[in-house]
Amino acid sequence: MRPKLLILCHGGNDFLRRLDEAKARRNVREMIALARRNNIAVVLLATPKPGLPPSIPIFYREIAAELGVPYEEDVIRKVLLDNSLKSDMVHPNGRGYAQIAAAVQAVLKKAGAI
């Protein structure tokens, strides 16, 4: 059975490893293309670059607009800024994941998918 939806949340590990942002951009584009070739819908979640404060690379918004992919820009950054929503320095806990899920649901509703 093939999935019908890919919730694409990529880039965090690339940024932590200090890989080139252009490479992260290419990776996101290639994953969207692969999903589409397999008739899998995509929702894109922006992953912030580490820093004080964490920042969202513009390429997520650009790719979403160019490819017509439903997009959520800020929920992961907001979760990462709130220690009560994290299980460690970089991973959400149950409450954090619940906020991310609610944001994805809102994007899917806005896109008419649910």
Side-chain angles (χ1 to χ4, degrees):
M1 176 181 263
R2 287 188 184 257
K4 297 194 183 299
L5 176 67
L6 170 64
I7 301 170
L8 181 54
C9 174
H10 177 76
N13 287 335
D14 286 353
F15 301 141
L16 288 173
R17 291 185 196 122
R18 307 239 190 274
L19 294 180
D20 183 71
E21 192 171 301
K23 176 72 172 163
R25 176 191 301 259
R26 282 191 304 274
N27 289 344
V28 169
R29 283 182 167 284
E30 289 173 16
M31 285 182 267
I32 292 170
L34 177 61
R36 286 184 164 174
R37 283 193 303 272
N38 287 283
N39 296 313
I40 301 168
V42 177
V43 171
L44 181 60
L45 302 182
T47 304
K49 291 174 72 171
L52 293 174
S55 62
I56 303 296
I58 190 73
F59 73 80
Y60 289 105
R61 184 180 311 135
E62 293 170 347
I63 290 171
E66 179 185 333
L67 300 179
V69 173
Y71 171 62
E72 207 303 316
E73 181 169 270
D74 208 36
V75 71
I76 294 174
R77 187 184 72 80
K78 286 180 179 176
V79 167
L80 293 177
L81 287 171
D82 185 340
N83 286 333
S84 73
L85 300 175
K86 297 188 299 186
S87 61
D88 59 27
M89 293 301 293
V90 295
H91 297 101
N93 60 22
R95 289 180 47 227
Y97 280 116
Q99 285 198 8
I100 294 168
V104 170
Q105 181 182 24
V107 169
L108 291 172
K109 281 184 179 180
K110 183 177 178 184
I114 56 173

